[in-house]
Amino acid sequence: MGKTLAKVSLWDRAGRRLDVRTRPNVAAGGVLDVAGISAWLVDALGAFGGHPVEAIVPVGHGAGVAALKDSALAFAPVDYEATIPDDVMARYRAARDPFEVTGSPALPHGLNLGAQLWWLEEQGALEGTTLLPWAQYWAWYLSGAAVSEVSSLGCHTDLWAPAEAAFSPLAQRMGWAERFAPVVHSGAVVGTLRREIAAATGLSPEVRVLAGVHDSNAALHAARGFAEVADREATVLSTGTWFVAMRRAQGDAPVLPEGRDCLVNVDADGRAVPSARFMGGREIELAAHGARVDDPAEQADMLAAVPGLLAAGTMLLPTLAPGCGPFPDSTARWIGEPGDGRAAACLYAALMADAALELIGARETVLVEGRFAAAEVFVRALAGLRPDCRVLVADGPCDAAFGALRLIKSGLAPAARLRQVEPLAGDWEAYRTRWLQETAQ
């Protein structure tokens, strides 16, 4: 359950994806469309009713929280892009814990889950409720079991202290820690499918429902199935609405700069993961005027446009998502003529990804996964910008859904194989230097 898309995929025991159903998510009125997603989810699961489904694993973004009261949803979850009143946000910012405690940067709107809870608390909306992270809400919807899980709690929420493996001082002071449902491992079986959902979908009521996991950490868990990534220095760049770089550091972890959208994620096993992010999918959509940059049929034309863009010095300066990413306070502007915007948008995403990777000290291996791994200009420009790294992509599905599958079968290796990306020709050092200089002005 992402911010932009809801997706249900069907996998076999060997790790092959058999089918997938998707639905665009549209938040309205400052809340998430739970009712619309729920109705679609039952239909999507019903399409798989003829298969011997054994387990379902929910995956969700990390900036949604559901409140249950009297065995029902107390109110629709807040959309993290809803505007929280300035006076509310000021009081919250004065109360939140330091970055050094939570590894969670101060983010705009409701991207810090604690800000949503503070706002709801001031409205008296949390009285008598049980709180669930977004992924675990769907575990409850499917099974009736209310649990929480650390990769969701530890994702820039202000609610978790990674070094202590416990709720943050803020969450404890406010009484929110006690409101959250019990914390279990992401791979824990929390129950079986509700009988009414089994009847509506044709699935067995014995289908196991797992606790579930935060989406970027599901992608990280998937990547760790590759020998090139497991138990070694490597960084996974998960791409979707958000681009999230997550480093498995060998030796000392880097000191992350506060204020540049760096954070400490918590993986599915509760371990701290130095991370950096930006709203890449949203920014590409804006820069390319809604056109797809990952369409296989369009890659050759987009690649052909790159030499002209580089020769002309065409570039987009950050940022199209104010308050987010490595340059949160910069104002976006174009230098030069971007043409239809698609190739230029990919060059911008590569420069932003390179900056995010640099912030967390990424080296040796970078595995790009998710939708934009298929955008050749993006991945090949990134390889050009990072000549000392191997930039890898998979030749088949190895995404957050596969990471969820590995929670059921931990030793499962991906059916996909990795290939090393060939860098695009160009003076990437000069291009990056000018981009950084223009950004600093």
Side-chain angles (χ1 to χ4, degrees):
M1 300 299 175
K3 180 61 163 63
T4 304
L5 284 177
K7 182 185 297 185
V8 175
S9 54
L10 180 69
W11 298 72
D12 70 11
R13 286 174 172 266
R16 294 181 295 248
R17 190 175 68 190
L18 306 178
D19 200 352
V20 61
R21 306 295 167 105
T22 62
R23 173 191 187 269
N25 290 333
V26 180
V31 297
L32 301 178
D33 183 18
V34 173
I37 296 172
S38 300
W40 168 82
L41 176 59
V42 171
D43 287 344
L45 291 175
F48 302 155
H51 293 270
V53 174
E54 299 174 1
I56 302 174
V57 189
V59 179
H61 66 74
V65 62
L68 303 181
K69 192 171 186 178
D70 300 327
S71 301
L73 192 64
F75 48 82
V78 174
D79 173 13
Y80 66 66
E81 292 185 278
T83 300
I84 297 176
D86 290 343
D87 60 329
V88 176
M89 187 63 83
R91 289 190 290 274
Y92 176 69
R93 290 282 172 84
R96 63 190 293 274
D97 299 316
F99 179 72
E100 293 76 13
V101 173
T102 62
S104 179
L107 298 173
H109 308 304
L111 280 165
N112 296 124
L113 209 54
Q116 295 183 32
L117 294 180
W118 186 279
W119 191 21
L120 293 165
E121 187 79 76
E122 288 198 354
Q123 299 172 62
L126 298 183
E127 186 66 33
T129 61
T130 298
L131 301 176
L132 309 176
W134 183 236
Q136 283 69 58
Y137 167 75
W138 294 103
W140 173 84
Y141 176 80
L142 293 169
S143 72
V147 300
S148 301
E149 178 273 334
V150 294
S151 72
S152 297
L153 289 170
C155 172
H156 58 77
T157 62
D158 288 348
L159 302 177
W160 196 254
E164 304 298 327
F167 280 98
S168 68
L170 169 70
Q172 296 185 50
R173 291 194 304 271
M174 296 299 297
W176 300 333
E178 297 174 359
R179 289 200 182 281
F180 272 96
V183 178
V184 302
H185 188 272
S186 54
V189 176
V190 299
T192 54
L193 199 61
R194 291 180 189 258
R195 291 196 173 273
E196 60 269 29
I197 294 180
T201 60
L203 297 174
S204 166
E206 300 305 313
V207 171
R208 293 169 287 136
V209 179
L210 276 64
V213 64
H214 168 237
D215 52 9
S216 296
N217 279 289
L220 178 63
H221 198 59
R224 286 175 174 168
F226 289 110
E228 294 91 336
V229 175
D231 300 321
R232 64 183 65 195
E233 173 69 50
T235 299
V236 175
L237 179 63
S238 177
T239 67
T241 301
W242 291 92
F243 283 35
V244 184
M246 297 166 285
R247 180 185 172 198
R248 184 184 181 91
Q250 298 294 306
D252 294 337
V255 177
L256 301 179
E258 186 175 4
R260 299 192 68 185
D261 225 342
C262 292
L263 64 147
V264 177
N265 263 308
V266 177
D267 73 9
D269 295 316
R271 296 171 296 196
V273 180
S275 305
R277 54 177 222 151
F278 63 103
M279 212 171 188
R282 175 71 56 79
E283 293 190 274
I284 287 173
E285 180 181 5
L286 291 171
H289 310 291
R292 283 185 59 186
V293 301
D294 59 324
D295 184 344
E298 300 294 327
Q299 297 307 302
D301 287 345
M302 292 168 57
L303 287 166
V306 172
L309 294 171
L310 294 180
T314 300
M315 56 182 62
L316 174 60
L317 304 181
T319 176
L320 290 170
C324 300
F327 308 97
D329 301 321
S330 296
T331 301
R333 64 183 175 92
W334 283 102
I335 295 176
E337 173 52 52
D340 66 15
R342 294 178 302 165
C346 288
L347 294 181
Y348 169 77
L351 288 160
M352 288 287 279
D354 176 62
L357 291 166
E358 197 66 24
L359 289 170
I360 61 172
R363 59 179 188 268
E364 296 187 21
T365 298
V366 174
L367 170 59
V368 182
E369 73 80 36
R371 172 184 169 187
F372 295 97
E376 287 289 318
V377 172
F378 166 64
V379 294
R380 292 184 62 184
L382 182 62
L385 288 162
R386 303 192 70 80
D388 296 331
C389 284
R390 291 190 306 162
V391 176
L392 306 175
V393 295
D395 65 2
C398 183
D399 54 9
F402 182 76
L405 186 66
R406 292 191 73 236
L407 292 174
I408 304 171
K409 192 173 181 181
S410 61
L412 186 64
R417 294 292 179 265
L418 297 180
R419 67 173 175 87
Q420 186 165 346
V421 174
E422 179 185 356
L424 279 174
D427 189 347
W428 293 106
E429 184 63 32
Y431 190 68
R432 172 174 50 202
T433 298
R434 185 186 176 205
W435 185 75
L436 291 171
Q437 289 172 342
E438 295 285 354
T439 296
Q441 292 181 8

